[in-house]
Amino acid sequence: HFGNPEGLDSQDTYTTAEDMAYILKVAMENEIFRKISTSKDFVSSKTLDHPQGLKLESTVLTPLEGQNKEGFNILGGKSGTTENAGLCWATLGEKDGVEYILVTLGAPLDNLSKPTPYQMQDHLIIFEKIERKKFFN
């Protein structure tokens, strides 16, 4: 349940990692959303105030540049940060030809203006450790 449209802290807002994973799964089924959220940057439509459009950079893919992602690829996703929620990421990744959605919530927020990237570190560690197991021959 979201108490406001922007997702900022509110007494009426509550959700789980499972809720966020489901929202991302459904959103990724939309071709336009998937294209935008899996792009490092995107130029918006033109407006009167911005005749060239606005260039938006991914808050997930941009910080991942230069990070070791051996054996997997984080394709895109959405970040979120509030004082109450901490550092949050919902990402779509691929490993061994299988796509996974990973959601982490509540990583420590030490400095709102320049936070330590704990949520990114969590995703890199978890994606590296994913193992696809065969249960049947």
Side-chain angles (χ1 to χ4, degrees):
H1 181 264
F2 292 92
N4 53 48
E6 70 277 349
L8 295 177
D9 291 332
S10 163
Q11 286 184 318
D12 296 331
T13 298
Y14 52 91
T15 189
T16 66
E18 183 179 13
D19 295 335
M20 298 309 295
Y22 181 75
I23 290 169
L24 183 59
K25 175 188 175 295
V26 172
M28 286 295 183
E29 293 170 3
N30 178 289
E31 185 179 325
I32 295 169
F33 178 86
R34 186 178 176 112
K35 181 179 179 186
I36 293 170
S37 67
T38 59
S39 298
K40 183 178 170 269
D41 54 48
F42 177 79
V43 178
S44 72
S45 302
K46 300 173 184 178
T47 68
L48 291 176
D49 290 334
H50 303 281
Q52 305 299 318
L54 285 172
K55 183 177 179 182
L56 308 170
E57 287 193 359
S58 171
T59 57
V60 169
L61 297 177
T62 301
L64 284 168
E65 286 184 354
Q67 297 295 320
N68 182 18
K69 299 180 293 287
E70 192 170 324
F72 66 93
N73 189 23
I74 296 176
L75 305 171
K78 172 74 175 82
S79 65
T81 303
T82 70
E83 298 238 356
N84 289 336
L87 300 165
C88 306
W89 261 19
T91 61
L92 173 69
E94 182 273 328
K95 185 168 185 176
D96 299 327
V98 178
E99 288 187 350
Y100 297 91
I101 289 177
L102 174 60
V103 175
T104 57
L105 307 173
L109 176 59
D110 49 5
N111 180 346
L112 188 57
S113 63
K114 190 173 180 179
T116 304
Y118 295 120
Q119 76 284 34
M120 178 179 70
Q121 294 165 359
D122 289 344
H123 280 242
L124 293 172
I125 291 167
I126 293 168
F127 270 111
E128 183 179 317
K129 293 182 183 278
I130 290 173
E131 291 184 26
R132 189 167 179 208
K133 303 209 182 224
K134 286 188 174 181
F135 293 100
F136 303 102
N137 290 333

